[in-house]
């Protein structure tokens, strides 16, 4: 208990810092030269406009490997086929695990490299953003022009966890009060090798919260309880400022739209040999019946949370730069840890006002995880 208290005291300021990187260096409101002026009609109007904005969300444990120079992240973002107003990307293990990293000494060069790749992909004017099948208003369709710039409104790193949020530039005048909250749940129960980075902002009059998390690992029976404890701690300890009007939510679940993403590390509660056999047979239904996160969702550990239908192969644990799982019977090496495949990488959401259209995985393979992505429509007032 004593080492934990000392570490908490030392790291509270560092891990809980409200500082973050953005294209606009301000904490309360993002300025814009083209902020729309208020007309007398709008000032006295009681009509509340409702918008439907599309949100792309992805999570990827990159295994401590810096992005290769030739990485084409446009394949993950699918910008040629999908048009979204908001992009939220979460990463885990963007730096290798080391004593200095665990103690909160982030290597910002790596996060800067990821953000540079994202900026280049989203603002690639040579590759126009296509309108997809998701319906949206005429006003939004007219604004959705090829080459429309995206801007970073929040980017925050805690040790190996990085979350970065990008929006189309015409939305910037309507985004206010971006904020972050970091919770370490790792070594001694408080260091930042595991935990969460949560970000929130208000778009028009609707509050959003995105939680990027890396939960406790382990495939032994009972390890799922450690992950449940991590989640409970993240929900209880995460706190945001109330804002100048004292009307902003402080806790994660008090926000209007909440999405939880990350390497949640939940495994499949079957013997490893059974798991591998079912993976070879691509029997996802039988595997998902024993998926720990699905079971926790049904038992009420995540009351009010939702997850889309999983139609893709387990995302963990691959040999890097291959399509072969570690410990496969015909590929196994002596002394190799035979971690069974699992859907460790997940995206779930809470409450009303969110509709999921896609839930899939990417095939970028330099890590031992595959990325997972989802597209939502969010109702915004």
């Amino acid at each position: 208990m004593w080492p934990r208290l000392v570490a908490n005291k030392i790291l509270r300021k560092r891990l809980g810092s409200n500082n973050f990187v953005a294209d606009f260096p301000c904490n309360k409101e993002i300025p814009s030269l083209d902020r729309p002026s208020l007309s007398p009609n709008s000032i006295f109007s009681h009509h509340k406009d409702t918008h439907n904005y599309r949100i792309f969300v992805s999570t990827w444990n990159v295994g401590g490997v810096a992005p290769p120079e030739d990485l084409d992240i446009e394949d993950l973002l699918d910008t040629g086929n999908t048009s979204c107003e908001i992009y939220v990307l979460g990463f885990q293990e963007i730096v290798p695990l080391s004593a200095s990293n665990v103690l909160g000494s982030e290597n910002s060069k790596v996060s800067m490299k990821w953000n540079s790749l994202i900026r280049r992909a989203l603002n690639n004017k040579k590759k126009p953003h296509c309108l997809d099948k998701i319906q949206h208003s005429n006003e939004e369709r007219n604004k959705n022009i090829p080459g429309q710039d995206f801007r970073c409104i929040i980017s925050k790193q805690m040790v190996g966890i990085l979350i970065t949020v990008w929006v189309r530039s015409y939305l910037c005048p309507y985004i206010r009060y971006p904020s972050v909250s970091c919770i370490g749940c790792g070594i001694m129960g408080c260091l930042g090798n595991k935990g969460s980075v949560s970000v929130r902002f208000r778009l028009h009059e609707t509050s959003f919260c995105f939680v990027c998390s890396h939960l406790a690992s382990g495939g032994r029976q009972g390890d799922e309880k450690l992950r449940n404890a991590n989640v409970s701690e993240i929900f209880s300890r995460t706190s945001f400022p109330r804002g100048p009007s004292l009307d902003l939510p402080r806790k994660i679940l008090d926000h209007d739209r909440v999405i939880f993403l990350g390497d949640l590390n939940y495994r499949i509660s079957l013997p490893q040999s059974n798991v591998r056999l079912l993976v070879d047979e691509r029997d996802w239904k039988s595997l998902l019946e024993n998926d720990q996160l699905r079971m926790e969702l049904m038992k009420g550990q995540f009351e009010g949370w939702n997850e889309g239908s999983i139609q893709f192969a387990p995302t963990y644990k691959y040999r890097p730069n291959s399509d072969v799982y570690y410990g496969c019977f015909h590929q196994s090496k002596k002394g190799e840890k035979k971690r069974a495949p699992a859907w460790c990488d997940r995206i779930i959401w809470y409450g009303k006002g969110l509709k999921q259209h896609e839930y899939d995985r990417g095939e970028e393979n330099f890590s031992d995880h595959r990325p997972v992505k989802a597209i939502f429509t969010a109702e915004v007032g």
Side-chain angles (χ1 to χ4, degrees):
M1 175 63 76
W2 176 246
R4 178 175 178 175
L5 291 173
V6 173
N8 259 319
K9 186 174 181 65
I10 294 172
L11 294 171
R12 185 172 296 152
K13 183 176 181 181
R14 190 175 287 167
L15 295 183
S17 170
N18 196 44
N19 296 325
F20 54 86
V21 176
D23 286 344
F24 304 91
C26 61
N27 286 329
K28 293 183 179 179
E29 193 165 346
I30 297 176
S32 176
L33 296 177
D34 57 357
R35 175 178 293 281
S37 60
L38 292 176
S39 67
N41 290 335
S42 63
I43 293 174
F44 295 106
S45 173
H46 295 288
H47 174 71
K48 186 177 181 180
D49 291 330
T50 300
H51 308 266
N52 288 309
Y53 293 124
R54 289 141 307 159
I55 305 175
F56 176 97
V57 180
S58 74
T59 178
W60 191 5
N61 183 324
V62 295
V65 180
E69 295 297 333
D70 59 348
L71 177 64
D72 184 3
I73 203 169
E74 290 184 24
D75 289 342
L76 172 63
L77 299 176
D78 199 21
T79 52
N81 298 311
T82 302
S83 174
C84 295
E85 282 79 28
I86 301 170
Y87 285 79
V88 180
L89 291 92
F91 300 90
Q92 304 82 41
E93 294 189 26
I94 65 166
V95 292
L97 185 62
S98 68
S100 61
N101 289 335
V102 169
L103 290 172
S105 177
E106 287 92 8
N107 183 350
S108 60
K109 291 182 179 179
V110 179
S111 58
M112 288 171 62
K113 189 171 183 179
W114 279 110
N115 279 327
S116 177
L117 288 170
I118 295 165
R119 184 186 303 276
R120 185 174 66 194
L122 290 177
N123 294 320
N124 184 355
K125 294 177 173 56
K126 294 180 181 179
K127 191 173 183 180
H129 298 263
C130 299
L131 297 177
D132 57 20
K133 299 176 183 178
I134 302 172
Q135 297 298 314
H136 47 286
S137 68
N138 288 332
E139 178 187 4
E140 290 155 1
R141 185 182 296 111
N142 291 336
K143 291 175 179 175
N144 196 7
I145 58 175
Q148 178 72 54
D149 286 340
F150 282 85
R151 301 184 186 184
C152 179
I153 61 166
I154 305 175
S155 178
K156 179 64 178 178
Q157 177 187 355
M158 179 187 74
V159 189
I161 301 174
L162 169 67
I163 185 168
T164 179
V165 182
W166 299 72
V167 304
R168 291 189 180 273
S169 57
Y170 67 77
L171 283 184
C172 289
Y174 307 104
I175 291 178
R176 293 169 291 158
Y177 313 116
S179 182
V180 302
S181 179
C182 301
I183 302 298
C185 299
I187 300 169
M188 291 189 291
C190 61
L191 298 188
N193 60 307
K194 294 290 193 293
S196 67
V197 180
S198 301
V199 302
R200 76 96 182 274
F201 56 88
R202 180 175 282 179
L203 173 56
H204 297 294
E205 297 304 316
T206 301
S207 60
F208 285 82
C209 183
F210 298 92
V211 183
C212 180
S213 183
H214 193 182
L215 304 183
S217 60
R220 295 175 298 181
Q221 185 175 359
D223 282 345
E224 68 275 13
K225 295 178 181 178
L226 299 175
R227 297 183 265 277
N228 292 346
N230 284 171
V231 173
S232 297
E233 195 161 0
I234 288 167
F235 288 159
S236 64
R237 289 172 54 196
T238 298
S239 182
F240 297 101
R242 283 208 175 275
S245 302
L246 303 179
D247 62 342
L248 292 172
R250 298 194 68 193
K251 309 305 289 184
I252 290 172
L253 299 182
D254 291 336
H255 290 77
D256 299 317
R257 313 283 180 262
V258 184
I259 296 179
F260 197 102
L261 57 132
D263 178 0
L264 307 189
N265 255 321
Y266 287 96
R267 309 301 171 88
I268 298 168
S269 293
L270 288 172
Q272 287 195 12
S273 58
N274 293 25
V275 171
R276 295 185 188 283
L277 182 62
L278 291 169
V279 168
D280 286 342
E281 295 174 352
R282 299 184 67 84
D283 186 352
W284 308 148
K285 182 177 182 295
S286 297
L287 287 169
L288 286 167
E289 288 173 354
N290 296 276
D291 175 80
Q292 292 175 351
L293 179 56
R294 284 291 170 105
M295 290 191 286
E296 296 298 334
L297 286 165
M298 288 189 290
K299 287 192 299 186
Q301 173 68 27
F302 292 86
E303 186 175 354
W305 288 86
N306 305 280
E307 184 180 27
S309 174
I310 294 177
Q311 304 290 334
F312 49 87
T315 55
Y316 172 87
K317 178 179 178 39
Y318 283 94
R319 293 178 181 275
N321 300 303
S322 81
D323 294 323
V324 177
Y325 291 105
Y326 266 100
C328 287
F329 298 121
H330 57 288
Q331 293 282 346
S332 181
K333 296 180 180 179
K334 188 175 181 180
E336 180 178 79
K337 291 184 179 180
K338 299 179 181 180
R339 295 185 177 94
W343 286 280
C344 290
D345 312 278
R346 312 288 275 269
I347 300 170
I348 60 178
W349 75 94
Y350 178 81
K352 300 178 180 179
L354 287 168
K355 180 179 180 181
Q356 190 180 70
H357 300 276
E358 295 182 23
Y359 193 30
D360 204 356
R361 62 176 239 175
E363 296 304 328
E364 292 76 10
N365 67 2
F366 69 82
S367 167
D368 57 348
H369 291 249
R370 293 292 192 268
V372 169
K373 53 188 177 181
I375 295 177
F376 298 87
T377 296
E379 187 177 290
V380 177

